[in-house]
Every structure is written in C-alpha cells, then in structure tokens.
Amino acid sequence: MIVKKENATNKQFLGVDFVVLAIGEKSMVTKMLYKTTDNVPTHSHPNEQNGYVVSGKYRLKFGNFDEILESGDSYSIPKNVEHSIEILEAGEVVDVFTPIREDYL
C-alpha cells in the first residue's frame, strides 16, 4: 500500500492531533503533531509502540526510563507497559504500532 501525503487521514485522539500515514496487515504508522498544550497522561495499550522524534522536545516515562527526547532520538515501548509523554517543545513524532491501534482508525 502507498499513501500519498494528500491522502493521509488527519485525526485527533484525547486532544492530540495526528495523521494516519499507512496501515498494513499487522502494523500502522502515524505522525503525532504535538503542541505544548497537549497532555498525554500515564496510559497503556495492547500495542508495541516504536517512535522516532522528528522535531520538538519531550519527556518520556515508562518502566525504569525517564528521559528527555529530541530530534533524532527514538524509542520502543513494549505492549501493555504504562507510559506518559510531557511535551516540552511542540513538534512531530513518527510512531509505529503493532498490532494496529483500532482506537486510531
């Protein structure tokens, strides 16, 4: 499947704007459009989450990790692990979820 940028789907979840870039059989790619006013409280989901910070600055907490992430950093959060993100500077993050997040469709 190929998704041209003009065909990507703009969505919002818990007040956070994001774009669904591609959906495969077992995974999906999203681009999160974080604003400093966004709030991503501690939560978990049955999806592994791998991310790449394109721009912005974030504090990511999960397991024994409590790190500041900036452009070029990446992460992997196992499924069902509680995590939170504090947006320190607005920016974009590309996330890959496996399996597909049904609540993002």
Side-chain angles (χ1 to χ4, degrees), residues 26-94:
K26 297 181 182 179
S27 64
M28 74 184 314
V29 181
T30 63
K31 179 171 63 172
M32 309 307 290
L33 308 171
Y34 289 118
K35 303 173 295 298
T36 54
T37 54
D38 288 338
N39 178 37
V40 183
T42 301
H43 67 287
S44 66
H45 40 71
N47 320 80
E48 180 178 80
Q49 179 178 351
N50 296 286
Y52 174 78
V53 179
V54 176
S55 61
K57 187 174 182 179
Y58 313 89
R59 181 177 186 184
L60 176 62
K61 295 182 186 181
F62 70 96
N64 294 325
F65 295 99
D66 183 345
E67 296 285 337
I68 302 296
L69 301 177
E70 299 179 278
S71 178
D73 294 337
S74 58
Y75 55 87
S76 182
I77 304 169
K79 65 181 182 176
N80 299 316
V81 170
E82 290 194 337
H83 56 285
S84 65
I85 303 169
E86 180 182 356
I87 294 81
L88 303 174
E89 292 177 9
E92 298 180 353
V93 173
V94 173

Side-chain angles (χ1 to χ4, degrees), residues 2 11 14 17 23-24 30 32 41 46 61 69 74 91 94 96 103:
I2 294 173
K11 304 284 266 183
L14 299 178
D17 294 320
I23 300 172
T30 63
M32 309 307 290
K61 295 182 186 181
L69 301 177
S74 58
V94 173
V96 177
D103 54 351

Side-chain angles (χ1 to χ4, degrees), residues 4-22:
K4 302 292 277 180
K5 63 183 175 184
E6 59 270 13
N7 296 325
T9 306
N10 293 302
K11 304 284 266 183
Q12 190 176 78
F13 186 78
L14 299 178
V16 176
D17 294 320
F18 69 99
V19 181
V20 176
L21 300 175

